[in-house]
Amino acid sequence: MRQRPGGVTILAVLAVLLGLLGLCGNSFGLMGSAVGGVAKLLGASGLTPGKLFFDSIIGLVLSAATLIFGFGAFALKSWAWFLGLGIEAAYIIEHIVRIVSKGSGGGNIAGNVIGIVIALLISAYLLRCLFQEASAIKRPSLSLRDALRIPAAADAMTTVTAA
């Protein structure tokens, strides 16, 4: 059984916690977009019910993927690293869109820049783990005889005939 690095354990636990919190928070956002009374509160912030609905759906998908990544990373599943990289790429795109659109929290440019930096750091750590795992794979060393599949008996025959 492979040893799980401490950083992977921390990342997996945080991913599970953030995935669960994201599912709860975005579910409330989804419900809030359906309630007509919330529209008055949203109007003051510039967030429309439609935009809240769209943001909540994206948040639910990313939160579910983050939760799945957390369980996969904890179990050291190879697919989890690729899922994690995809999630971080989606978060980077989300933060860039928020900065450009200045909507749904985009006014907080510093917060979005920090989000991009965190996503890049997590991506770098995941890539480092991937490369370490790939370099740790023991590959059998093949001799020229093994590569050409020359049987040992053929060597004996050539020595007898040469003599």
Side-chain angles (χ1 to χ4, degrees):
M1 184 169 179
R2 293 185 297 180
Q3 179 78 14
R4 184 182 326 107
V8 172
T9 304
I10 292 169
L11 195 60
V13 169
L14 286 174
V16 168
L17 291 175
L18 292 174
L20 289 172
L21 286 172
L23 286 174
C24 291
N26 287 301
S27 295
F28 288 128
L30 196 59
M31 289 185 286
S33 69
V35 177
V38 177
K40 292 179 185 175
L41 296 173
L42 295 175
S45 68
L47 190 62
T48 64
K51 182 141 177 51
L52 179 60
F53 177 79
F54 182 72
D55 285 351
S56 297
I57 293 293
I58 291 175
L60 282 170
V61 170
L62 285 175
S63 296
T66 301
L67 185 64
I68 293 168
F69 162 72
F71 286 122
F74 196 76
L76 295 176
K77 299 292 184 185
S78 59
W79 52 263
W81 309 122
F82 298 105
L83 178 62
L85 288 170
I87 291 168
E88 295 308 318
Y91 280 128
I92 290 169
I93 292 168
E94 179 187 19
H95 286 297
I96 290 171
V97 167
R98 287 182 181 216
I99 290 172
V100 171
S101 71
K102 293 189 172 64
S104 83
N108 185 0
I109 293 175
N112 285 309
V113 169
I114 290 171
I116 291 171
V117 169
I118 290 171
L120 288 171
L121 290 173
I122 292 172
S123 297
Y125 182 75
L126 290 174
L127 285 171
R128 184 177 144 244
C129 289
L130 269 174
F131 288 129
Q132 281 180 347
E133 184 177 315
S135 65
I137 295 174
K138 299 286 185 196
R139 292 178 180 82
S141 62
L142 292 177
S143 66
L144 184 58
R145 175 182 298 152
D146 292 335
L148 297 175
R149 297 182 191 263
I150 300 173
D155 281 346
M157 295 272 263
T158 55
T159 9
V160 171
T161 55

